Structures are given as structure tokens and as C-alpha cells.
Amino acid sequence: MFYRIFALDVRRSLLGRWKRFSVALLFFVLVTFACKISFSNAYLQSPQLSPFAALTLGDFLLYAFGGCDGVRSASLFGFDRPFAIPFQWLLLILLAIYINFDLTEESSAGVNVQLLLRAGDKKQYWLSKILCITISTSLYFVLGVIVTLGCGFALGGVSSLEIDKLILNVMNLSSMVPREATSPAFIPTLLMVWFAILTITLLQQLISLFIKPIGSFLVMAVFLFLSAYFMKPFFFGNYAMMIRNALLCEGGVDAAEGILILSLVSLASIAGGCVVYDRKDILSKGES
């Protein structure tokens, strides 16, 4: 029975949302080209650089998934630095949420009543949606990495995960100090971004059980906005920024603490959703 429920959700969340995935992938293509253009302009303004200086694939990934400067962001209410909104990073996360932000309400409204009665447990519907969201969010992340690497390589990116300090200036991250051995920490840091994005999407689905999906989408947008300006553990949007991870840069957020917080929030979202969804009256929606 769970298989039939899951198959129905897959058609809706993956096959039925190909346009949303297309928009998301176009975002990564544009980001990659923006990285190349920004780096080239910065290179022309820095004649002291080696004539062989070039972007690495690590630079392209950092530009796409890096986030924003933690020290600069910490001065939201100060006057020592200009106020800036990290639009690119916000779009990165909001696109992941957008793919399935209304899945729960959409599925509840179109639920097959006989299928639900035979299942005898509404928790199966919720768990099916959690699995679909996990798959689609992971697919979004993996395809984003592939597109970034592919376009980066086509634009002359060097096959390395080392970070060029010039890319930090391009991204206004001059206050962040990368650790010397960046390559070993690069993949774990990138995976932390995936885990954070997944946790954020799961939390949004839980919130959508209490308010309309568009309302929960806006709530998460505000939460992400605040995460960009406050490097606090409970603003776990920080863990969705590579540049703020202590594995990659000095003074960043603790990775072990991040894994614990993200795990707890994810489990709470899943368990809380099971309880709330089990009490929802979705039969009347299905009949209508």
C-alpha cells in the first residue's frame, strides 16, 4: 500500500514538476556564467596576478554554494559596513523549497479516499511525502553540482578543488580566511549544505500543515534572511553556506554542532508531521 501512495507522490513531486526543476537548473547555469564574468573583471583589475591565474572547479562551486560573509552580515544594525542582501544564496535555498513547497496540500486535496481507507494509517501519506521531498531535494542539489561543474569546465575551469583567494574578493568574502588544506574539507562542507537545505525543506513542510504553503514559504524566507545576518546555531541556515563552515574557513560555525542541530530539526519535522498529519481530516478534501 505504501508503494502505491509513494508512486502517486513521485508522479506529482518529480515528474509533475519538471518545469520547476528546469528553472532551478537555469539558475545554476546563470550563476556559473556570473562567476566567470566576475572573476575575469576582477582579474583585469589585478595586474599583479600571474598570467596563468584561472578559476578552478572548486571556485565555481564555492561561488554557487558559498553563501555570504559572516563578519559583514553580523553588522546588520551597524553602520561600519554597507547593508547587502545575499540574493543569490537566498534564491539557491528558496528554489529548493519551491520545488515541493505545496506538495502536502496538493496531495491531500487530491487523495484517493479508497486508497486511504485501505491503508488505514494516514502516517503513510506523510512519510511518502517526506521520502519524495528527500529525493527531489537531493536531486536538485546533485543536478546543481553537476551543472555547475559542467559549465565551469566548459568555461575553462581547472580540475581542482583548491580555492583561489581572488574568488573571495569577487564574492566580498575578504574577511573569511580559508584553511590551508581546503581540498579534503571541500566535499564534507558541500555535503553539509545539502543536509541543511534538506532540513529547511522538511521544516517548511511541517509548517505548511498549520498554515497555507505560501505562508510557510514566506516564513522560511524570513528565517533564511535572518540566518544570513546572525551566525547563531539556531539560525541553522548558516550551515547551508560553505564559506561559514569551520572545516573550510577559520572562525566558521562548528560542523559537528551543525550535524547535531540539523539531525534534531529533521527528525522533529518528520515526527511532528506524523502526529499532526494523522489528526488532519483529509478524507473530506479527497471527497471534494
Side-chain angles (χ1 to χ4, degrees), residues 1-2 4-5 111-122 124-125 283:
M1 187 56 62
F2 178 81
R4 294 181 61 185
I5 298 172
V111 66
N112 185 303
V113 177
Q114 294 301 320
L115 188 62
L116 178 58
L117 290 175
R118 289 178 59 186
D121 185 0
K122 287 183 285 186
Q124 293 188 29
Y125 271 81
L283 285 174

Side-chain angles (χ1 to χ4, degrees), residues 21 24-33 57-58 60-62 64-65 92 137-155 161 186-187 190-191:
F21 274 102
L25 294 182
L26 177 61
F27 165 77
F28 286 104
V29 173
L30 295 177
V31 165
T32 306
F33 276 92
L57 296 183
F60 280 108
L61 287 174
L62 184 67
F65 298 95
L92 169 71
T137 303
S138 300
L139 184 61
Y140 164 79
F141 179 80
V142 171
L143 290 177
V145 171
I146 292 175
V147 169
T148 302
L149 290 176
C151 292
F153 186 78
L155 292 174
L161 295 181
F186 203 92
I187 300 301
L190 189 60
L191 290 176

Side-chain angles (χ1 to χ4, degrees), residues 5-6 17 34 52 100 103 109 171 177 185 209 229 250 252 256 270 273:
I5 298 172
F6 177 65
R17 284 172 163 76
F52 301 103
N100 280 313
L103 175 64
M171 297 173 65
V177 181
L209 296 180
Y229 296 100
E250 298 177 7
I270 296 172

